[in-house]
Amino acid sequence: MEDKKFKILKVIVEEQYIIEMHDDKITKINGWTISEVISDWFLNSPMGRSHATRDNHLIDNSRKYISSNVVDP
């Protein structure tokens, strides 16, 4: 059996999202705070899956390459 050789390429990108606010602390997204939005959109939901609310607030063409590096497995 042949061993497969591979490397992992770690890529960091930036995306921007627009969040409408009721006031300085409360968003128009379920009346949540920014912290609650971050938890729901990014910490509790996989980035690789569609999330209707998050996806609808992504600013078009805001995705930008930041950096990359090769990581040995």
Side-chain angles (χ1 to χ4, degrees), residues 2-37:
E2 181 181 329
D3 285 338
K4 292 184 180 181
K5 294 182 169 99
F6 64 92
K7 300 273 186 183
I8 295 174
L9 179 61
K10 179 179 177 181
V11 178
I12 299 173
V13 297
E14 174 184 292
E15 293 179 333
Q16 295 181 5
Y17 297 80
I18 190 160
I19 299 174
E20 293 182 70
M21 304 293 292
H22 284 294
D23 56 34
D24 285 343
K25 295 183 181 182
I26 303 299
T27 73
K28 289 188 177 183
I29 300 164
N30 297 331
W32 291 346
T33 63
I34 294 284
S35 294
E36 290 170 313
V37 171

